[in-house]
Amino acid sequence: MASSLFEQYNEATARSGTPFTSGLQQPSTRSAPISSGYVTASIEEDVKIFTRQKINFTPPRAITHMVANNNMLMIAMADRTILRINRDQPDQRSGCIFETLIQAGDDGRFFQQNPDQYWKMVYNLGKESTVPVTGLHVERISGSTQSDKRTIFIMATTPERMYQFIGTIMSTEAPIFLQVFQRYENTIPTGFLELPGNIGYSQLQVYTPKQKSTPQGFAWMSGPGVFIGNFDFQELTRENLTKDSHLLIYPLDKEGTVQIKPISMILTEFHVLLLYSDRVQVICTLNETRSMKISIKKKSSWGTMAEILLQAGTREEASLAYQSRKLTEKFGKLLGMCRDATKGTIWTYSDQGVFMYKVTRESRDVWKIYLNKGDFNLALTFCQDNQAQRDEVLRKQAQHFFDEKQFDKSALYFASTEMSFEEVTLKFIEADQKEALRIFLQKKMANLPPEDKAQMTMLVIWLIELFLNQVGILRNQPASKEKYDSVHDGFRKFIAQKRVMECLKNNVDTVYDLIASHGDVTDMVFFAMLMKDYERVISHHIQGEDYQAALEVLKKTSKKELFYKFSPVLMQHIPKELVTAWIIQDHSLDPKKLIPALVQYKHNDTTGQTHEGIRYLEFCVTKLKKEEQAIHNYLVSLYAQHAENQLMKYLLLEGEDATRVHYDLKYALRLCSEHQLNRACVHIYTTMELYEEAVDLALQVDVDLAKRCAEKPEEDDEGMKRKLWLQIAKHVVKEQSDIQKAMEILQECPLLKIEDVLPFFPDFVTIDHFKDAICSSLENYNTNIQNLQTDMDEASESAEAIRADIHNMRNKYAVVTGQHKCAKCDSLLLSRAFYLYPCGHKFHADCLIKEVTIHLSPTQRIHLSELEHQISSLKVSNSKRPQMPRKGDDLTPNREEMERLQTQIDDVVAAECVYCGDVMIRSIDKPFIEQDELEARNKSWE
């Protein structure tokens, strides 16, 4: 059973790759034979009885006990492990890499009766010579596999060699890693490294920043020193996946002559810790600086934990931290070192104590190391949030590029530093590097806070000047066309920046002066467009007679005043395009303000201004529904001068209601008269209800038109119609001498009789021409006489009935008792003055006035108010008279006046019952509650 444990230990040490695994080397065959331990008499006298032979074996731990039997050595070590060595077969299970699987049981223990499921050797590093495996690391390369394929990287070390294996695992059948080593079965891996100076042991350490992440670097403690480097898993086709590898030589002894070999080693992100029997030596992997040396001079009882702060590059702090420990006894020799990958702490131990090294801000001085090496990017990375360190790195980086004549890059980095603005600008000015100076100023401007408006303005103006100078120089150099385009485009992008435009709002004139001083018209236009100074741009295009370009700019502006300002000029050159632009603007333009542009037409119009003007005004009238009289008047003016047919269509569309037409009737009549547009004048006359003038003018054009005009007056205005038809008949008889047409007029107008037109006929006309007309007239007279007789009889009967009603009313009365109430307020009627109607309704005088007032017109209300005021004044006057009238006082005038006023009030409010008369019928469409009262009532419910 003990033998099985020893075997498990050897197997475990072979596959675990612990840094202290070592095998017993077979002595050279040329050395003296090992003594058997027996003394015989046959041995010569000069041979020593006991001889000592040094075995080529260095124990990994302190030896506490050892026994030997059958050439087998059993060694117990201080860490409670047992090492078994078979001297007969020292070359078995050495240099071999095994694969096994160890699983925990139900109770959580690993080693039980059958701890291993399989045990398979996958590769032998000792094919050439027997060597122990001192280090082994397996890494699955993340992100490099697809589906069931997995790329595996294995690093193994012996005392003199470091091997790299890379391969793909296609399946999960055991042994898994045999698939990686199969490609190296008959060959030695090309990615191996051999270092001289075998010290019998070595150690492999891999640094991983955090758990379950890809390893970052490695360290191999070998004979001549520590071989360190980084991993590169980007290109998996290479056999060597390491980079930036180099050898750290072990430090020398106190005399500086002999290298002292360490016992163990630990690798951190930037340091290698070498363990010696009495100290720990810390070496920076970046610059190989021996940053500190921690000696063990004190001791405590077994198990005491001494904490020592390890701070990179600060020997004094580490020393002070260590000296704070008031320990009084020695610890003894250090035996080993390990690192807690999870917490980042480092542990060492001796046979009397355990020590912990806590890593605190290991990277705080790394930036300076990278800075001294000229690796500015990494230096900035490790500055983290320390602005002072970042500024120092940026300064040196900027100066480096300046010294290397890379002025553009230098400018960018100088702008990110806190160096004096004047100092940097002078550097570039003295070096005559204007482009670099421009880049510096741009970057500096971008870093300025918004509140530094004065500095922003200064930088912007300076940059514009630099841009303009450079553009001006390159413009005249044909060979620099590409460079010119680049700089010119950069200039336009610069001034188009939002911050720059905000800055230049109050300095527009200064920029215009700068651009004008360089004669750069195109950029002036571009800048004006950016600043939305459309007026300047439009003026520029018009001066250059580029009217289409001016119109395009005009379309983009939101300032409608510019339309009104520049339209008169554009109307003279591109009227069609301009009017189209007006129409597109739709309601946003005021057509009245565009009339001055329409007036600017020429009499010998060749550009179509008149036609386009009519087109726009028609759009305003028909589409925009504009009702301004000026627009309609000007449209009538253009119609009258250039489009008579369209004028008549417009007039008919406007109608004949003088209160609804939108043009000035008198103005339109004058225009039509000037241009002898008689039909239009006739229409306007009829609209103005000047029918006589309309008929007179219509008779000059067409009799039928005159007849239509004669029918225009209202139906009840028979006198006017008769007069107009007589006028037409007179014209027909006298001017045309057409008796037949005259007779037709009598038939068309029933208002005319034969006797009305007879005076117009000449004396030689015989009665035969009027026979039918005279007979018809006599019949009409007879019919009218009969109708009048009937009307007279009906009127007489009505008069008799009215007289009878009046007589009956004189004797009619009504009885009012004390119980009768007002129909409005429901109070006793006899309490104050009242009104009584034949229908039976009774009202207090004030209640009736209040009720009737609601239905009165505004004029009637005013009249009623005046009457009430006059009565009140008379009552006041009477109250001031003495109670006992004096002799000669006459009260009759006031009484009569009050009776007269009261009669007028009765005529207004008491002519008929407010509930039974016409008032109630007329108010049928009015609401019971007025709007004001309704709103008040609604609010009362809220």
Side-chain angles (χ1 to χ4, degrees):
M1 184 65 181
S3 175
S4 176
L5 288 175
F6 293 139
E7 290 175 355
Q8 291 179 27
Y9 172 78
N10 287 335
E11 295 167 359
T13 54
R15 65 175 177 267
S16 62
T18 55
F20 298 106
T21 302
S22 177
L24 184 63
Q25 298 287 346
Q26 180 69 26
S28 174
T29 55
R30 294 173 293 181
S31 61
I34 301 175
S35 174
S36 63
Y38 291 95
V39 180
T40 62
S42 61
I43 298 178
E44 298 180 1
E45 293 180 358
D46 56 349
V47 178
K48 295 181 180 180
I49 297 176
F50 297 100
T51 59
R52 183 187 64 175
Q53 182 179 353
K54 179 68 171 68
I55 303 300
N56 188 13
F57 167 68
T58 302
R61 303 286 188 274
I63 299 175
T64 59
H65 300 81
M66 185 181 76
V67 295
N69 188 28
N70 195 19
N71 216 13
M72 298 288 292
L73 299 179
M74 304 295 293
I75 303 174
M77 290 177 286
D79 59 353
R80 298 183 180 181
T81 59
I82 299 175
L83 179 63
R84 187 190 70 169
I85 300 175
N86 187 352
R87 293 194 68 243
D88 292 334
Q89 297 175 334
D91 56 340
Q92 293 184 0
R93 289 182 184 129
S94 298
C96 295
I97 300 176
F98 293 87
E99 177 181 335
T100 187
L101 177 64
I102 300 177
Q103 293 181 335
D106 296 336
D107 56 357
R109 293 186 298 172
F110 280 97
F111 295 100
Q112 298 179 358
Q113 294 181 355
N114 187 18
D116 51 343
Q117 293 183 351
Y118 68 91
W119 186 275
K120 177 68 175 178
M121 186 182 78
V122 292
Y123 195 75
N124 185 8
L125 298 178
K127 294 180 180 180
E128 299 179 356
S129 61
T130 302
V131 292
V133 178
T134 59
L136 191 63
H137 180 79
V138 180
E139 185 68 32
R140 172 179 173 176
I141 302 177
S142 61
S144 62
T145 62
Q146 296 180 355
S147 64
D148 57 345
K149 294 183 179 181
R150 293 177 293 176
T151 302
I152 301 297
F153 171 73
I154 300 174
M155 178 176 280
T157 60
T158 65
E160 293 181 299
R161 288 187 177 184
M162 181 179 70
Y163 297 86
Q164 298 182 53
F165 304 91
I166 185 169
T168 302
I169 296 177
M170 304 297 294
S171 66
T172 58
E173 294 183 0
I176 298 175
F177 296 106
L178 185 60
Q179 303 172 60
V180 178
F181 290 104
Q182 280 180 344
R183 58 178 298 202
Y184 304 100
E185 184 176 356
N186 299 321
T187 181
I188 298 177
T190 57
F192 84 96
L193 173 68
E194 184 174 2
L195 295 178
N198 187 356
I199 58 175
Y201 61 92
S202 68
Q203 185 178 356
L204 176 64
Q205 286 281 313
V206 174
Y207 174 74
T208 303
K210 55 185 178 180
Q211 283 187 319
K212 297 182 180 179
S213 63
T214 304
Q216 176 178 312
F218 70 93
W220 176 36
M221 188 182 73
S222 60
V226 180
F227 188 75
I228 62 173
N230 297 321
F231 290 112
D232 183 10
F233 296 124
Q234 300 300 320
E235 185 57 53
L236 300 180
T237 58
R238 298 185 293 108
E239 293 292 334
N240 186 359
L241 298 184
T242 62
K243 65 177 182 178
D244 303 331
S245 303
H246 59 283
L247 184 66
L248 292 178
I249 306 300
Y250 294 132
L252 303 177
D253 60 3
K254 295 181 179 180
E255 289 75 18
T257 57
V258 180
Q259 289 183 343
I260 305 174
K261 311 302 181 183
I263 301 173
S264 182
M265 168 197 69
I266 290 295
L267 176 64
T268 64
E269 186 174 6
F270 301 108
H271 294 83
V272 171
L273 281 71
L274 301 179
L275 178 68
Y276 295 91
S277 61
D278 60 345
R279 68 185 184 278
V280 174
Q281 178 71 55
V282 182
I283 303 176
C284 180
T285 58
L286 299 177
N287 56 3
E288 302 185 18
T289 302
R290 275 63 174 174
S291 57
M292 68 179 63
K293 175 180 175 183
I294 304 175
S295 300
I296 304 300
K297 298 181 180 179
K298 307 292 182 180
K299 78 170 184 178
S300 67
S301 60
W302 173 260
T304 300
M305 183 179 299
E307 180 179 335
I308 301 176
L309 297 179
L310 174 62
Q311 301 186 4
T314 55
R315 183 182 305 171
E316 294 77 11
E317 293 183 12
S319 177
L320 290 174
Y322 174 73
Q323 291 177 6
S324 64
R325 295 301 188 191
K326 304 298 183 179
L327 304 177
T328 58
E329 299 177 3
K330 291 184 179 180
F331 289 110
K333 293 184 178 181
L334 295 175
L335 301 178
M337 175 183 288
C338 62
R339 177 175 179 268
D340 187 334
T342 302
K343 300 297 184 180
T345 54
I346 299 171
W347 299 82
T348 61
Y349 59 92
S350 67
D351 55 355
Q352 299 184 34
V354 178
F355 310 93
M356 183 182 74
Y357 297 82
K358 183 179 180 182
V359 181
T360 305
R361 296 177 58 199
E362 182 184 6
S363 61
R364 66 178 182 177
D365 291 328
V366 171
W367 69 274
K368 186 175 294 184
I369 297 173
Y370 282 120
L371 178 61
N372 294 333
K373 295 171 65 175
D375 196 336
F376 303 109
N377 293 331
L378 284 176
L380 285 174
T381 301
F382 288 98
C383 286
Q384 298 178 351
D385 296 332
N386 193 312
Q387 296 300 324
Q389 295 175 1
R390 290 182 59 85
D391 187 68
E392 183 177 349
V393 174
L394 291 172
R395 287 191 186 197
K396 289 193 176 182
Q397 190 171 11
Q399 188 61 45
H400 167 76
F401 286 124
F402 190 90
D403 296 337
E404 295 292 327
K405 308 299 181 183
Q406 299 183 40
F407 298 105
D408 293 355
K409 289 185 177 180
S410 177
L412 290 174
Y413 287 103
F414 270 127
S416 300
T417 67
E418 299 297 328
M419 285 186 66
S420 168
F421 177 81
E422 295 79 3
E423 180 182 354
V424 178
T425 54
L426 286 175
K427 287 173 72 71
F428 290 115
I429 292 174
E430 291 173 356
D432 194 23
Q433 295 296 322
K434 294 183 179 179
E435 185 171 0
L437 175 61
R438 174 174 56 79
I439 295 174
F440 169 74
L441 295 178
Q442 282 185 265
K443 183 67 174 179
K444 201 70 176 176
M445 184 198 74
N447 295 336
L448 279 178
E451 57 270 14
D452 291 343
K453 296 182 179 179
Q455 294 185 26
M456 174 69 72
T457 303
M458 179 194 70
L459 290 177
V460 168
I461 299 300
W462 193 356
L463 282 167
I464 292 176
E465 177 66 23
L466 290 175
F467 267 117
L468 290 172
N469 285 334
Q470 193 171 7
V471 169
I473 294 172
L474 296 174
R475 186 186 296 116
N476 301 322
Q477 298 177 0
S480 303
K481 174 92 171 42
E482 185 176 351
K483 179 68 173 177
Y484 166 78
D485 292 339
S486 176
V487 175
H488 190 236
D489 184 62
F491 169 61
R492 292 196 167 186
K493 289 181 179 178
F494 169 72
I495 61 176
Q497 293 180 26
K498 184 178 180 180
R499 293 186 68 190
V500 174
M501 292 176 63
E502 290 290 332
C503 176
L504 294 179
K505 281 184 178 180
N506 300 323
N507 302 276
V508 175
D509 294 335
T510 303
V511 180
Y512 280 137
D513 294 340
L514 275 176
I515 299 177
S517 65
H518 288 80
D520 194 346
V521 179
T522 57
D523 284 330
M524 179 178 290
V525 173
F526 177 80
F527 176 70
M529 288 294 292
L530 283 178
M531 303 307 296
K532 297 184 179 180
D533 190 359
Y534 299 114
E535 183 174 358
R536 186 184 295 268
V537 179
I538 296 171
S539 299
H540 166 75
H541 288 312
I542 290 178
Q543 290 174 2
E545 298 184 355
D546 191 352
Y547 303 106
Q548 190 62 45
L551 180 60
E552 293 300 323
V553 177
L554 193 60
K555 292 178 182 178
K556 298 177 181 178
T557 179
S558 59
K559 297 181 179 179
K560 304 310 174 185
E561 293 76 12
L562 298 181
F563 271 95
Y564 310 137
K565 180 176 181 179
F566 293 103
S567 288
V569 178
L570 297 177
M571 191 67 184
Q572 298 179 19
H573 299 89
I574 50 172
K576 183 177 181 180
E577 294 82 356
L578 178 63
V579 169
T580 301
W582 288 351
I583 293 175
I584 292 174
Q585 295 296 319
D586 204 31
H587 288 278
S588 60
L589 291 178
D590 185 356
K592 290 189 299 183
K593 297 183 179 180
L594 294 173
I595 291 180
L598 297 173
V599 175
Q600 300 293 326
Y601 69 90
K602 301 177 182 177
H603 293 288
N604 54 346
D605 183 16
T606 58
T607 59
Q609 298 179 39
T610 304
H611 172 73
E612 295 302 326
I614 293 175
R615 180 164 74 99
Y616 180 66
L617 291 175
E618 287 178 343
F619 169 78
C620 295
V621 170
T622 59
K623 301 296 183 181
L624 302 183
K625 305 297 181 182
K626 295 295 183 180
E627 299 180 353
E628 289 84 349
Q629 193 176 72
I631 297 174
H632 288 263
N633 285 346
Y634 190 60
L635 180 58
V636 170
S637 173
L638 293 178
Y639 279 151
Q641 298 178 61
H642 305 283
E644 179 181 355
N645 294 333
Q646 291 176 268
L647 174 62
M648 286 307 303
K649 292 180 181 178
Y650 168 79
L651 294 176
L652 292 174
L653 185 65
E654 284 288 302
E656 297 180 354
D657 188 348
T659 60
R660 294 187 177 183
V661 297
H662 300 100
Y663 57 90
D664 188 337
L665 290 168
K666 295 180 180 179
Y667 173 74
L669 181 60
R670 184 172 67 252
L671 283 175
C672 294
S673 298
E674 290 176 358
H675 294 86
Q676 299 180 354
L677 303 176
N678 293 333
R679 288 184 178 274
C681 290
V682 170
H683 178 85
I684 296 172
Y685 275 133
T686 57
T687 305
M688 298 174 69
E689 297 183 355
L690 299 175
Y691 301 113
E692 295 183 44
E693 291 81 354
V695 170
D696 285 339
L697 186 59
L699 290 173
Q700 300 177 19
V701 180
D702 184 8
V703 175
D704 292 335
L705 178 61
K707 292 178 181 179
R708 291 195 295 271
C709 294
E711 290 295 325
K712 297 293 183 182
E714 298 292 336
E715 294 294 334
D716 56 353
D717 195 358
E718 293 182 355
M720 175 59 69
K721 282 189 176 182
R722 182 173 180 278
K723 184 178 181 180
L724 296 176
W725 279 102
L726 281 174
Q727 191 175 350
I728 296 172
K730 182 179 179 180
H731 173 80
V732 170
V733 173
K734 287 189 175 182
E735 299 296 333
Q736 299 181 359
S737 301
D738 191 339
I739 298 174
Q740 185 64 33
K741 285 188 176 181
M743 296 299 101
E744 292 176 358
I745 291 175
L746 293 177
Q747 295 178 359
E748 292 178 11
C749 181
L751 299 176
L752 293 181
K753 307 298 179 184
I754 184 61
E755 61 270 22
D756 297 328
V757 298
L758 283 177
F760 303 143
F761 288 99
D763 297 337
F764 58 85
V765 178
T766 62
I767 196 171
D768 293 338
H769 294 91
F770 310 105
K771 181 179 180 181
D772 295 336
I774 292 173
C775 293
S776 176
S777 178
L778 291 174
E779 291 177 357
N780 289 335
Y781 279 126
N782 186 36
T783 302
N784 290 336
I785 290 171
Q786 293 178 357
N787 291 335
L788 287 174
Q789 184 65 41
T790 302
D791 292 340
M792 291 175 64
D793 294 340
E794 292 178 353
S796 298
E797 293 176 358
S798 297
E800 289 296 332
I802 291 172
R803 282 194 291 268
D805 291 339
I806 293 173
H807 184 269
N808 294 330
M809 285 295 296
R810 288 177 180 175
N811 300 322
K812 192 172 184 179
Y813 66 93
V815 178
V816 178
T817 65
Q819 287 76 28
H820 287 163
K821 296 182 179 180
C822 174
K824 174 63 178 174
C825 67
D826 203 30
S827 299
L828 293 176
L829 185 65
L830 297 178
S831 61
R832 53 185 184 274
F834 64 89
Y835 288 93
L836 175 64
Y837 288 96
C839 62
H841 287 118
K842 311 170 188 66
F843 301 93
H844 289 131
D846 55 341
C847 292
L848 180 63
I849 293 173
K850 185 176 181 181
E851 181 68 18
V852 172
T853 303
I854 299 174
H855 304 284
L856 296 178
S857 65
T859 304
Q860 291 174 325
R861 291 179 186 177
I862 294 173
H863 180 57
L864 178 62
S865 178
E866 291 176 350
L867 293 175
E868 290 178 336
H869 178 70
Q870 292 178 15
I871 289 180
S872 298
S873 299
L874 290 175
K875 289 181 178 179
V876 171
S877 177
N878 289 337
S879 64
K880 292 181 180 180
R881 290 175 179 269
Q883 294 182 354
M884 296 297 296
R886 292 177 297 179
K887 185 178 181 180
D889 290 345
D890 188 7
L891 301 179
T892 303
N894 283 350
R895 185 181 300 111
E896 292 178 352
E897 179 66 17
M898 290 181 66
E899 290 178 355
R900 185 182 65 81
L901 294 175
Q902 186 62 45
T903 300
Q904 294 183 14
I905 291 177
D906 292 343
D907 293 339
V908 174
V909 300
E912 58 182 354
C913 178
V914 71
Y915 287 171
C916 300
D918 295 338
V919 174
M920 185 59 62
I921 297 174
R922 290 194 300 269
S923 64
I924 194 171
D925 59 341
K926 292 185 178 180
F928 291 106
I929 302 176
E930 295 295 332
Q931 186 64 31
D932 296 341
E933 185 180 356
L934 178 62
E935 293 178 358
R937 292 192 178 186
N938 289 338
K939 289 182 179 180
S940 66
W941 285 91
E942 294 180 356

